[in-house]
Amino acid sequence: MGCTVSACAKLCKKGDGPELDEEEKIRTSEDFHGLRLHFYRIRQQESPTLIPILRPAFVITFYYILFSVFLAVGIVLIIHSGQIVSLDDVRYDNIDSCNVGDTSDGTTNNCQVEIEVTETLKAPFYVYYGLTNYHQNHRRYVSSRSSQQLAGEEQTDAQLSSCEPILFFANGTVIIPCGLTAWSRFNDTFSFCKDPGCENQIDWTDQGIAWETDEDVAFQPGPWTDAQNELINSPDFIVWMRLASFDTFTKLYRIVNEDLSPGTYFMDIGSNYPVSGYDGTKFIAITETSWFGTRKTSLGIIYLSICGCLFVIATALLLRHLIKPRRLAYEDLNLVKEYLVKTVDIGDEEVKQKALGQQSNAVNT
Amino acid sequence: MGDEDFAQVFGGEAGAKTLVSDTAIHATKRELNQKKQAPETRVVEFNNEPANTGFVSNVIKSTKYTWWNVVPKSLWEQFRKVANFYFLIVAILTFIPGVTSFSPSTAVIPLVLVVGFSIARELYDDGMRGRSDRRSNNQKFSVLNRDAKGSGTTEEVKSLNIKVGDILVLKKNSPVPADCIPLLSTEEGGVLYVSTAQLDGETNLKRHLVTQATKDLTDAAQVHALDGRAEVSGPNPQFEVFQGSVKLAGAEDAVPVDSLNLVLRGSTLRNTEEVHALVVYTGTDSKVALNMRDPPSKMCQLDRTLNWTVLMIFVLLVILVIVFAALAGVAQERVVQDSWYLGPTSTDSGVEVGFRSVGTFLVLFSAWIPISLFVSLESVRVFQALFMFRDEKMKSFDGRRMAARSTNLSDTLGIVHTILSDKTGTLTRNVMEYVACAFSGEIIDIREDPSLMKDRLAAGDKKVNDMASAMAICHSVVPDFHGEDEGEILEHPTYQGQSPDEVSLVESARSFGLELVERSVDNLVLDRNGVKETYGMVGEIEFNSDRKRMSLVVKMEDGNYRVYTKGADTTMFPRILLSSEEEKGIEDDLHMFAVEGLRTLVFASKDITEEQYQSWQTTWREALLSTDEREEKMAAAAEVVESDMKFIGVTAVEDKLQDQVPETIEFLRNAGISLWVLTGDKRETAENIGYSAAMLSRSMTVVHMEARSQEEVSTMLEDTYKTHCDSAGFEGTVGNMKSLRSLTNVKQAKKYRPGVHDGDKSLAVIIDGKTLQFVLDSYAKYFLAITDHCQTVICCRVTPMQKALVVRMVKKLRGCVTLAIGDGGNDVSMIQEADVGVGLFGKEGTQASRSADFAIGEFKLLKRLLCIHGHYCWVRNPGLINVSFYKNVFITMGQVFYQFFCQFSGTSIHNEYIVTVFNVVITLFNPIFFALFEKDLDEEVLMEKPEMYQANRERKNFGKRTVLEWVMGYALWHSIVTFWGQYGSLGSVRESNWLDGYEGGINAWGFGLSTQVIVIVLVKMLLMARTWNGLYLASFVISLGVFFLIVPIIISFIDDNSLNGVLPTTFSSGTWWMTFIVNATAAFMLDFIVVLIRRFYFPDAITMEQEREYSRYWTRK
């Protein structure tokens, strides 16, 4: 936006006075060294400097260019975003047979929802589960885990204190993995089928749903039981452990590597996770992605609105510049003296007159 | 009395009382006066250790810390500062489990760095003090053997073991370790010389005498054998106040001793081979120790505003914390208690959580207050002082660099409003040159013909002879034949004297053919064309500023006694027998000299008979010996000889203006600085200097204020006001107290000012000391209201105390920044009183320059000091402070906004370590480099255009408005744009911003936000500067680099994986980049609108000048 219009390197001007002697002394000294001169200039605060300055023509042009770029980007984003096939979210916790209730009693509730595909979903496309009103970002929830334990290192009880309040079983042994986050992991199961009886399942994979760095570094098997190690290394668990930023979120469940033609499909759900106690909901989301991820109309809209602002500002400046341009001091040297009177008018009348006189003399010469 | 008069003259019964109490400047007189202790006496037995008990030891201790109190005391010093104390509390809170998720290291490390830096500096200073203490305490001196009395043998004693009653043996060039009375000197007549450069900075040698009681002794053994006692006044801080007597065992009378017989600790023995001296005051009782006190610490305007701002920011923080804690309680009740996944503790009551959250938010929002600001500001100011010191252009003509002693005042130099200047030695060179003498109507001016005096003296002109003799005799100057090199003896002596006027008179007497060649304790020898004349000096009445004259009683070669007196005309006239004709003639002469700006002295003499002399001698001695009402008795005794004198002549001495003084004054005046001159000189002299220094001009109306009574003063003030000032701008009557009071406030005065002047007519006020005293006592505000209309104010015949009071008056009642500049000891109080004290390395010693905040070599350097260094610092330091508040509020606002999404639980959206690093590393150096190198205008322009100083001063670079602009404007807008922009685009529900479909989560989201904040802050710092030099640009690049490099370091250092893989993940997201670009554009939109509107449509003089400067670069090849 417009500050560095034209920057010009300004070199130290040679003036009269003792500093010149000093500088010359350094220049001509036998052990002349560029660095010494440089230090001298820094000390004397005379290092070469760039001086960026604003000119209206530049600012207006720059804002118009920025406006056109943003306009183009915004339109492309919106069109591109619209081309991504993204199915509507399918809520399932309100289906009676899937309703777990306020707390889990350990039994699995099974239900099935229909998935309507109206446009072909191109591979790879992604299946997410989502939760609402769920505060993974609560401070206690965020901090209640042990990164070392997850990375496979055995820890003392004291080191694990961050896992409070989910640290020990009733018998005093350490819970592995410990902490609220791990304890409250999402445990609904899904199968994506082409027929209601679920005999013809769609192939999907959990490879690649978690961050590579998490799989490689952060979640490692440790000296615990196989079941525990398997849990810690399962992609679903790792995805759950990457906490969501907000209270309504989706988490990647599976990746489908085949195209899905329009039609009706079925999702078999094993519902275990209680959400009604805190007024939460559960849903399924299926979508393609692009270079910017899932569909993002908002990004395009933001670009367009900022581009509107740019246009308004640039036009206002242009109009003002055309209708009533301000003379610039580097084109009209008398201007400085006018502004001196305008802004520094606390001086005595005589001083002011004198100042103006000097100014005009300086201008004349 | 004052009240009534004021009410009478100006009406307004009701307002009168408040006004007088408001203007009670005189109440402060007492503080400024050095307190006069009634000294109790102490008795010192010669070399008799058991008898001399109860005195302090000779240890000097100037350190603040000892090994056992260093830890508590230095910590106490640090945590007394509010900001440090706050961060201490934050650090403690991080150790309480459950309150915050911040690890203690994030709070402790910055605190340790900041406090450690300050403590290290303190300890370093203290260590240096301790080292010099130890050096002086352990220095070895010889004293006469304490046990073997009478043997004349000596023993070596460390300085700290020297005791009262010891007899020191001092060699040439040895420092004096304690205040002592010399008993024996190797020099003829019991004379000894010391240099007091360490004490008062005076470079000339001081002559001291051994006591009368011991002047006949010849060797050490005799001294050693002495039994006697000295009865002296108790310890007191005044160098000149010392009285007492010495009584030797067996002698009938006690012999008086005075300050001439006291050699002070801290002085150095010179030109004297060996001295035996009796120690009377040791350690903390010595005069130099009693005079040591911390210079008054000055708080600059910027720091005052800064403290206020920090307080406001802190209050804002407290409000925020309380509101959020309450919200946390509510959220606990409404949401958290129902959320099973938050574990058993989620059932805590809302009140409990609310209280706990106070701590949580105090820690979470602690970055709100910029912890590094105070350290940065401190170090930046040190560098700025260094820049001043190293500035080649601040060197004086003799190549001397300036000194910046109070580093914290660098920015105050940029907002000086009134300069109060001394005259002699400050505006003038203080190089005295004798130019003329006059004998009532007849003037001999050697500028016309240098040999005039010499010829007439040779011709035996009596008048001239008297004049020249008086000049050669009546003084306290000492001839010194010692050359610069060791052992070199000069043919003609150089003269050492306390007053340059005296020295110049003695030197001119030499040029007339009357050379002073010797001055011993009793005799004064003149060389008149090869013939030696000896005068016995039988009495001396010293000069002091009350008497304003000095007298010398001499015994002529023919045995007659004569008194020579010289002094200021006002004190001399009443003592001289003159016909009215003569008197008029002399007054005319004096007037003529004064108009030329010359300094005058009146000489007179009186022949007295032997009887008269003897009787005077007796009363004088009595007066000297008396312990009570000594001063009065001495004055009375002096009166006897200093009356009915015969007029000899008037001498005129010229003191030339320094280089470029008129130009500098003109420049400073055009820079909107009003100049007051405070001088002890006569009105005419001062006025004349005023004209030649361009402070007064013929077009000005000069108002003289000389009054002898309160009534007169009030009438005068009223008249002046009515005639010259009350033309417009005042509502109602002159006696309208309300408007009067407001007028004396700078801001108000500014408002009224445009209407006040008729055309370009301007006013100058010249006021004398007596009138000034009435003004200070009762009419300060009214006088200031008049001076608001003045270009120049000259106060003549003022005392040092009045100088300080005038400074205080202007500072307090006008509320503006004052700068006092002076060179002599009499300017010290004024220099210490002013907001900024500037001292000149003067001829009259270095006392002024040592007590000053800045010391320069010449008056003209003031221009560069104010208009370059002051100007820049007033751009730089406010910028540093503004951007520090901005950056910290900016990053903290992200945390604030995020609380709305996490049920006010205190989750940190920025990684805690990144916040810490942001604070103490990433954004530390850019503001510092800004504060070191930013230039709003080129030096050449600033040196050419004084108006730019004024424009910058009035710009309000730091204050409520700028804090609002930076905090409520930029910081708030930038934080809103980055946070909510990212919320809108980076995804609030679907955080999958990658082709691979996975989600970023809270850590990537936070890191994305942190990166945006850091880059925007760094760019903002670039944009705020007008000039980018290599270092500034490099600091930007380095900061950015450090940020990216530090993430892996943090990952390996901390024990959680919250940042693991976040950096590559974030930067591989197309959405994040798109978000970043649009957010940055939107954020800086505000800055650009502000800058554009300000630059293009509401520019000020500096903006325009910047534009002009720009064109000069382009046209210059």
Side-chain angles (χ1 to χ4, degrees):
Chain A
M1 42 210 98
C3 167
T4 51
V5 191
S6 346
C8 68
K10 186 218 148 201
L11 290 168
C12 288
K13 189 203 160 207
K14 301 223 164 181
D16 317 313
E19 107 283 5
L20 184 65
D21 302 343
E22 187 70 21
E23 197 175 329
E24 278 303 316
K25 221 187 285 168
I26 294 170
R27 275 182 186 287
T28 53
S29 66
E30 281 180 19
D31 57 337
F32 173 73
H33 202 276
L35 209 57
R36 245 181 91 196
L37 186 66
H38 203 72
F39 277 134
Y40 167 76
R41 282 188 178 154
I42 287 176
R43 217 170 61 210
Q44 205 63 28
Q45 305 182 58
E46 283 180 354
S47 330
T49 47
L50 288 168
I51 298 179
I53 194 158
L54 289 165
R55 283 193 295 188
F58 173 85
V59 176
I60 292 165
T61 320
F62 184 77
Y63 263 42
Y64 273 119
I65 294 174
L66 216 57
F67 155 74
S68 7
V69 171
F70 274 36
L71 187 66
V73 170
I75 291 169
V76 166
L77 274 175
I78 286 179
I79 292 172
H80 196 65
S81 186
Q83 288 165 345
I84 294 172
V85 180
S86 180
L87 304 186
D88 292 339
D89 297 343
V90 183
R91 182 177 168 186
Y92 65 89
D93 64 285
N94 51 355
I95 298 170
D96 283 344
S97 57
C98 265
N99 194 344
V100 184
D102 284 1
T103 48
S104 170
D105 58 359
T107 56
T108 304
N109 302 292
N110 290 304
C111 61
Q112 190 177 60
V113 290
E114 288 182 8
I115 308 285
E116 296 289 340
V117 179
T118 45
E119 276 177 87
T120 306
L121 280 163
K122 289 197 192 65
F125 67 90
Y126 301 83
V127 180
Y128 299 83
Y129 62 87
L131 293 169
T132 61
N133 201 23
Y134 191 102
H135 292 93
Q136 270 203 319
N137 59 5
H138 194 280
R139 178 170 57 86
R140 276 205 307 276
Y141 197 85
V142 170
S143 54
S144 178
R145 60 159 77 196
S146 165
S147 297
Q148 275 77 9
Q149 195 193 52
L150 294 171
E153 293 165 30
E154 198 147 20
Q155 299 283 298
T156 64
D157 287 356
Q159 283 170 318
L160 290 175
S161 64
S162 63
C163 281
E164 292 283 8
I166 307 296
L167 179 52
F168 298 112
F169 288 114
N171 64 8
T173 53
V174 173
I175 300 173
I176 294 169
C178 70
L180 275 177
T181 329
W183 169 70
S184 64
R185 62 190 173 272
F186 190 71
N187 56 359
D188 286 4
T189 54
F190 305 92
S191 349
F192 201 9
C193 314
K194 290 183 177 166
D195 57 313
C198 213
E199 271 143 35
N200 194 357
Q201 286 201 5
I202 295 166
D203 236 14
W204 59 13
T205 174
D206 61 2
Q207 290 310 299
I209 61 170
W211 292 16
E212 261 176 54
T213 48
D214 281 352
E215 288 186 331
D216 294 348
V217 183
F219 294 84
Q220 295 296 317
W224 1 98
T225 65
D226 287 350
Q228 286 167 336
N229 276 333
E230 201 183 320
L231 171 65
I232 290 175
N233 285 308
S234 74
D236 280 329
F237 178 73
I238 297 175
V239 168
W240 179 256
M241 296 299 282
R242 269 278 150 216
L243 302 173
S245 312
F246 300 98
D247 63 350
T248 299
F249 57 86
T250 58
K251 284 191 179 289
L252 185 53
Y253 186 68
R254 291 293 182 266
I255 302 169
V256 181
N257 281 313
E258 60 183 81
D259 289 358
L260 207 60
S261 47
T264 306
Y265 298 88
F266 306 91
M267 188 72 80
D268 262 8
I269 300 164
S271 183
N272 302 307
Y273 208 70
V275 291
S276 56
Y278 56 85
D279 296 333
T281 62
K282 300 192 277 191
F283 61 91
I284 297 164
I286 298 172
T287 180
E288 292 177 347
T289 60
S290 178
W291 59 270
F292 48 75
T294 52
R295 181 189 281 182
K296 268 186 196 56
T297 326
S298 59
L299 190 57
I301 292 170
I302 288 174
Y303 261 85
L304 288 184
S305 47
I306 295 300
C307 121
C309 294
L310 289 171
F311 182 77
V312 171
I313 294 169
T315 310
L317 286 175
L318 181 68
L319 289 178
R320 171 79 205 232
H321 191 58
L322 291 177
I323 296 167
K324 198 181 161 203
R326 201 205 83 190
R327 290 162 301 150
L328 294 166
Y330 53 82
E331 288 157 3
D332 181 357
L333 297 184
N334 287 318
L335 209 57
V336 181
K337 92 180 173 191
E338 282 175 33
Y339 276 93
L340 262 177
V341 181
K342 258 192 219 167
T343 54
V344 193
D345 60 350
I346 38 163
D348 291 296
E349 216 50 53
E350 196 187 66
V351 178
K352 212 186 291 174
Q353 294 300 327
K354 215 172 277 172
L356 294 183
Q358 275 183 357
Q359 203 73 45
S360 59
N361 287 343
V363 169
N364 294 338
T365 48
Chain B
M1 181 69 186
D3 312 32
E4 286 168 26
D5 282 343
F6 204 93
Q8 219 177 324
V9 176
F10 299 118
E13 288 276 324
K17 270 213 168 68
T18 36
L19 197 120
V20 168
S21 61
D22 274 357
T23 58
I25 291 280
H26 53 89
T28 58
K29 248 188 282 179
R30 231 170 296 122
E31 308 168 33
L32 283 164
N33 252 337
Q34 282 192 318
K35 53 174 183 234
K36 286 195 172 137
Q37 295 173 335
E40 86 281 21
T41 54
R42 60 159 65 180
V43 176
V44 181
E45 300 273 351
F46 282 33
N47 202 7
N48 183 355
E49 206 180 333
N52 296 321
T53 50
F55 301 122
V56 295
S57 79
N58 200 32
V59 175
I60 279 283
K61 180 175 167 291
S62 57
T63 53
K64 217 159 141 187
Y65 305 110
T66 56
W67 62 268
W68 54 266
N69 75 4
V70 59
V71 174
K73 196 170 177 184
S74 59
L75 287 178
W76 163 246
E77 288 281 322
Q78 289 308 314
F79 290 115
R80 256 172 33 174
K81 297 176 189 164
V82 179
N84 286 353
F85 185 68
Y86 167 67
F87 286 105
L88 179 70
I89 289 180
V90 167
I92 292 170
L93 282 173
T94 57
F95 283 99
I96 303 172
V99 166
T100 170
S101 55
F102 273 37
S103 72
S105 57
T106 56
V108 172
I109 292 173
L111 185 67
V112 167
L113 285 179
V114 167
V115 171
F117 178 86
S118 305
I119 289 184
R121 228 192 109 175
E122 280 268 302
L123 291 186
Y124 175 78
D125 289 349
D126 209 50
M128 296 309 274
R129 282 193 293 266
R131 237 171 65 180
S132 84
D133 281 357
R134 271 194 301 282
R135 222 177 10 231
S136 66
N137 281 335
N138 290 330
Q139 202 173 1
K140 292 229 167 115
F141 291 93
S142 330
V143 299
L144 288 179
N145 215 314
R146 287 169 186 159
D147 305 321
K149 204 166 165 71
S151 65
T153 54
T154 59
E155 59 180 317
E156 292 275 293
V157 168
K158 279 185 181 173
S159 170
L160 64 126
N161 290 327
I162 291 174
K163 296 196 172 62
V164 172
D166 280 348
I167 295 175
L168 280 167
V169 183
L170 298 167
K171 301 273 190 232
K172 190 173 176 180
N173 294 337
S174 151
V176 180
D179 292 356
C180 48
I181 300 175
L183 302 174
L184 174 68
S185 164
T186 49
E187 300 297 299
E188 201 182 327
V191 178
L192 60 135
Y193 296 94
V194 294
S195 150
T196 53
Q198 305 279 324
L199 293 176
D200 54 13
E202 290 178 19
T203 48
N204 58 300
L205 298 184
K206 299 271 164 58
R207 193 175 58 109
H208 287 272
L209 295 175
V210 301
T211 57
Q212 286 289 314
T214 58
K215 68 175 177 178
D216 300 326
L217 302 182
T218 50
D219 66 35
Q222 285 179 324
V223 176
H224 206 170
L226 280 178
D227 268 323
R229 60 195 324 206
E231 207 176 322
V232 295
S233 48
N236 67 67
Q238 281 128 296
F239 286 144
E240 296 305 321
V241 175
F242 173 72
Q243 44 200 275
S245 59
V246 170
K247 188 167 184 297
L248 294 180
E252 285 177 18
D253 292 325
V255 182
V257 287
D258 59 16
S259 57
L260 205 59
N261 301 112
L262 185 73
V263 180
L264 301 178
R265 179 184 179 132
S267 48
T268 312
L269 195 65
R270 299 272 187 223
N271 295 357
T272 313
E273 288 308 323
E274 196 179 75
V275 166
H276 288 67
L278 172 75
V279 175
V280 287
Y281 304 124
T282 47
T284 49
D285 283 344
S286 63
K287 289 194 187 281
V288 61
L290 289 170
N291 268 288
M292 258 191 243
R293 63 201 142 124
D294 294 332
S297 64
K298 291 177 184 178
M299 189 143 193
C300 69
Q301 202 174 339
L302 191 67
D303 283 351
R304 276 197 291 266
T305 326
L306 178 60
N307 281 353
W308 176 88
T309 313
V310 170
L311 199 71
M312 287 299 110
I313 292 268
F314 187 75
V315 168
L316 215 62
L317 173 68
V318 169
I319 293 171
L320 207 66
V321 165
I322 291 171
V323 169
F324 272 57
L327 287 172
V330 174
Q332 177 76 15
E333 293 278 341
R334 291 186 50 191
V335 180
V336 179
Q337 282 177 353
D338 302 330
S339 304
W340 61 268
Y341 54 86
L342 292 175
T345 39
S346 65
T347 51
D348 288 352
S349 79
V351 178
E352 198 182 332
V353 169
F355 277 109
R356 209 188 305 138
S357 295
V358 171
T360 310
F361 288 121
L362 271 179
V363 176
L364 185 68
F365 299 157
S366 62
W368 186 268
I369 291 171
I371 187 171
S372 58
L373 169 62
F374 300 94
V375 175
S376 323
L377 193 61
E378 203 175 318
S379 40
V380 154
R381 280 167 167 171
V382 169
F383 276 110
Q384 285 166 347
L386 216 59
F387 277 149
M388 291 181 202
F389 170 70
R390 296 291 303 184
D391 190 348
E392 301 292 333
K393 291 179 186 170
M394 286 302 294
K395 277 182 179 171
S396 62
F397 61 94
D398 50 0
R400 186 157 189 182
R401 292 185 186 279
M402 73 163 287
R405 296 208 167 77
S406 306
T407 50
N408 66 331
L409 293 174
S410 57
D411 33 57
T412 314
L413 287 173
I415 47 171
V416 170
H417 206 282
T418 308
I419 292 180
L420 299 106
S421 171
D422 174 41
K423 186 184 79 68
T424 314
T426 304
L427 299 178
T428 63
R429 289 171 209 258
N430 205 11
V431 175
M432 301 299 166
E433 217 172 288
Y434 169 86
V435 291
C437 61
F439 317 97
S440 178
E442 187 187 357
I443 295 178
I444 303 177
D445 192 336
I446 61 164
R447 281 175 300 185
E448 292 162 10
D449 179 1
S451 61
L452 220 53
M453 283 289 281
K454 196 175 176 178
D455 295 347
R456 287 183 66 170
L457 185 64
D461 189 320
K462 183 165 182 308
K463 267 188 196 167
V464 175
N465 185 28
D466 285 348
M467 185 77 246
S469 308
M471 279 160 66
I473 294 169
C474 181
H475 54 74
S476 57
V477 173
V478 181
D480 182 7
F481 284 92
H482 296 270
E484 302 253 320
D485 306 318
E486 187 68 42
E488 186 191 352
I489 300 294
L490 300 171
E491 194 188 339
H492 292 286
T494 52
Y495 294 120
Q496 304 270 359
Q498 289 170 30
S499 138
D501 297 66
E502 277 191 339
V503 174
S504 83
L505 288 175
V506 176
E507 277 172 351
S508 12
R510 171 161 72 185
S511 72
F512 305 152
L514 258 180
E515 184 174 5
L516 171 70
V517 290
E518 195 191 321
R519 186 193 184 107
S520 64
V521 65
D522 298 325
N523 289 323
L524 191 124
V525 181
L526 297 185
D527 181 334
R528 191 190 289 265
N529 298 325
V531 185
K532 291 249 161 63
E533 294 175 7
T534 309
Y535 296 85
M537 290 191 293
V538 290
E540 182 177 349
I541 309 174
E542 283 185 352
F543 177 88
N544 70 36
S545 52
D546 290 334
R547 280 164 40 78
K548 290 185 176 149
R549 60 183 186 275
M550 64 92 63
S551 297
L552 199 66
V553 187
V554 293
K555 189 174 178 190
M556 312 289 281
E557 283 189 307
D558 55 12
N560 291 330
Y561 291 88
R562 182 177 284 177
V563 184
Y564 281 107
T565 305
K566 73 164 191 283
D569 48 70
T570 44
T571 60
M572 290 300 287
F573 271 6
R575 302 172 199 285
I576 304 178
L577 291 173
L578 287 171
S579 69
S580 60
E581 244 168 79
E582 275 176 317
E583 190 171 332
K584 190 167 177 308
I586 298 169
E587 267 173 4
D588 286 348
D589 294 343
L590 285 169
H591 183 70
M592 269 196 65
F593 287 146
V595 165
E596 280 187 70
L598 304 173
R599 298 156 69 89
T600 53
L601 281 172
V602 176
F603 280 80
S605 69
K606 180 183 180 183
D607 288 319
I608 51 174
T609 61
E610 176 129 22
E611 294 80 56
Q612 277 174 318
Y613 167 70
Q614 293 299 354
S615 76
W616 172 75
Q617 179 74 359
T618 330
T619 40
W620 180 245
R621 263 175 187 264
E622 270 169 23
L624 281 182
L625 276 177
S626 62
T627 40
D628 50 78
E629 292 180 356
R630 189 167 182 246
E631 314 252 308
E632 289 77 8
K633 283 182 187 167
M634 281 169 68
E639 200 66 28
V640 178
V641 284
E642 291 175 338
S643 59
D644 301 335
M645 308 194 79
K646 197 174 99 218
F647 173 70
I648 296 179
V650 180
T651 56
V653 171
E654 186 176 20
D655 186 8
K656 285 212 175 98
L657 279 181
Q658 287 184 17
D659 189 28
Q660 290 186 18
V661 164
E663 292 88 339
T664 309
I665 287 177
E666 175 89 30
F667 188 93
L668 292 175
R669 177 127 42 76
N670 289 346
I673 300 172
S674 33
L675 194 80
W676 292 41
V677 173
L678 312 174
T679 175
D681 273 348
K682 273 186 291 297
R683 194 196 91 193
E684 291 80 4
T685 316
E687 190 176 352
N688 188 265
I689 291 284
Y691 280 110
S692 55
M695 283 185 303
L696 301 174
S697 71
R698 299 291 162 198
S699 64
M700 284 185 195
T701 315
V702 179
V703 179
H704 297 285
M705 291 195 185
E706 278 174 41
R708 292 292 163 260
S709 69
Q710 189 124 7
E711 291 77 22
E712 229 180 300
V713 174
S714 58
T715 325
M716 192 174 285
L717 287 171
E718 192 197 21
D719 284 350
T720 313
Y721 201 89
K722 275 189 179 151
T723 327
H724 300 290
C725 310
D726 185 37
S727 52
F730 240 11
E731 318 127 19
T733 58
V734 188
N736 185 332
M737 292 302 163
K738 239 184 188 160
S739 51
L740 182 64
R741 199 168 306 140
S742 58
L743 237 182
T744 51
N745 173 302
V746 181
K747 279 183 205 150
Q748 299 292 325
K750 239 185 270 169
K751 213 159 66 188
Y752 286 119
R753 201 178 275 264
V756 183
H757 294 278
D758 327 303
D760 58 358
K761 196 179 82 179
S762 52
L763 195 63
V765 167
I766 301 179
I767 186 166
D768 78 340
K770 275 187 189 153
T771 320
L772 190 65
Q773 197 54 53
F774 289 118
V775 166
L776 290 170
D777 287 346
S778 321
Y779 306 111
K781 280 204 164 179
Y782 210 86
F783 180 67
L784 278 177
I786 292 172
T787 60
D788 277 342
H789 302 268
C790 293
Q791 280 208 12
T792 302
V793 180
I794 297 177
C795 307
C796 45
R797 295 209 180 274
V798 291
T799 61
M801 191 194 76
Q802 279 180 327
K803 285 185 179 185
L805 287 177
V806 170
V807 171
R808 184 174 290 194
M809 170 174 82
V810 176
K811 191 173 80 173
K812 289 269 156 69
L813 298 185
R814 256 277 196 71
C816 64
V817 177
T818 53
L819 180 147
I821 178 167
D823 75 315
N826 58 352
D827 303 316
V828 170
S829 53
M830 155 170 105
I831 284 171
Q832 290 187 337
E833 178 68 39
D835 293 295
V836 186
V838 178
L840 269 84
F841 301 116
K843 294 264 183 318
E844 292 177 19
T846 55
Q847 225 178 327
S849 62
R850 276 202 281 172
S851 57
D853 305 307
F854 299 94
I856 54 179
E858 285 177 86
F859 184 78
K860 70 171 180 185
L861 294 177
L862 195 59
K863 174 178 161 188
R864 189 174 165 82
L865 185 65
L866 295 183
C867 295
I868 300 291
H869 291 291
H871 182 108
Y872 285 154
C873 289
W874 184 241
V875 173
R876 292 164 176 177
N877 296 358
L880 169 80
I881 297 171
N882 287 334
V883 80
S884 298
F885 282 122
Y886 154 79
K887 71 182 173 71
N888 281 55
V889 170
F890 180 13
I891 196 163
T892 312
M893 280 313 286
Q895 312 275 39
V896 173
F897 293 141
Y898 193 67
Q899 299 313 309
F900 290 96
F901 297 100
C902 66
Q903 297 302 321
F904 305 96
S905 60
T907 310
S908 173
I909 188 64
H910 296 290
N911 184 284
E912 49 178 321
Y913 293 96
I914 288 184
V915 174
T916 308
V917 170
F918 172 85
N919 232 340
V920 298
V921 184
I922 297 174
T923 56
L924 179 68
F925 293 103
N926 305 53
I928 288 181
F929 281 128
F930 172 85
L932 292 184
F933 299 113
E934 167 67 353
K935 291 182 172 186
D936 60 337
L937 285 170
D938 250 26
E939 271 187 33
E940 305 148 39
V941 178
L942 293 180
M943 289 300 270
E944 269 166 34
K945 300 200 169 147
E947 300 81 16
M948 294 305 145
Y949 181 83
Q950 192 177 6
N952 187 44
R953 185 182 72 195
E954 307 304 329
R955 239 186 172 186
K956 304 272 178 297
N957 290 326
F958 178 64
K960 286 170 206 159
R961 188 190 59 76
T962 61
V963 173
L964 272 182
E965 181 186 328
W966 282 80
V967 171
M968 290 303 167
Y970 303 134
L972 199 63
W973 171 248
H974 289 184
S975 57
I976 287 172
V977 166
T978 46
F979 187 89
W980 297 101
Q982 180 158 309
Y983 180 75
S985 57
L986 207 54
S988 52
V989 178
R990 304 241 157 86
E991 292 187 67
S992 43
N993 300 306
W994 291 264
L995 185 60
D996 296 340
Y998 53 76
E999 277 99 354
I1002 189 170
N1003 297 318
W1005 210 94
F1007 183 76
L1009 188 65
S1010 311
T1011 312
Q1012 291 196 36
V1013 170
I1014 286 168
V1015 175
I1016 288 175
V1017 164
L1018 290 177
V1019 172
K1020 175 73 189 163
M1021 286 175 181
L1022 269 191
L1023 291 183
M1024 72 184 279
R1026 193 190 69 115
T1027 53
W1028 298 344
N1029 72 359
L1031 283 171
Y1032 197 55
L1033 290 172
S1035 72
F1036 172 76
V1037 176
I1038 291 170
S1039 291
L1040 213 52
V1042 162
F1043 171 55
F1044 295 128
L1045 287 178
I1046 215 148
V1047 173
I1049 297 174
I1050 294 175
I1051 291 173
S1052 63
F1053 166 70
I1054 60 174
D1055 55 1
D1056 68 59
N1057 58 10
S1058 55
L1059 278 181
N1060 228 335
V1062 157
L1063 191 139
T1065 310
T1066 303
F1067 293 145
S1068 63
S1069 163
T1071 316
W1072 183 81
W1073 284 103
M1074 299 299 284
T1075 307
F1076 176 47
I1077 291 168
V1078 75
N1079 280 359
T1081 310
F1084 285 118
M1085 212 137 59
L1086 174 76
D1087 301 54
F1088 273 91
I1089 292 171
V1090 171
V1091 169
L1092 285 175
I1093 289 178
R1094 223 177 249 166
R1095 278 200 94 86
F1096 288 125
Y1097 306 117
F1098 301 98
D1100 64 0
I1102 291 182
T1103 315
M1104 299 311 278
E1105 194 58 47
Q1106 287 172 340
E1107 266 183 31
R1108 243 194 88 183
E1109 210 176 84
Y1110 171 72
S1111 75
R1112 299 200 311 184
Y1113 296 144
W1114 282 111
T1115 50
R1116 186 189 297 158
K1117 293 291 171 208

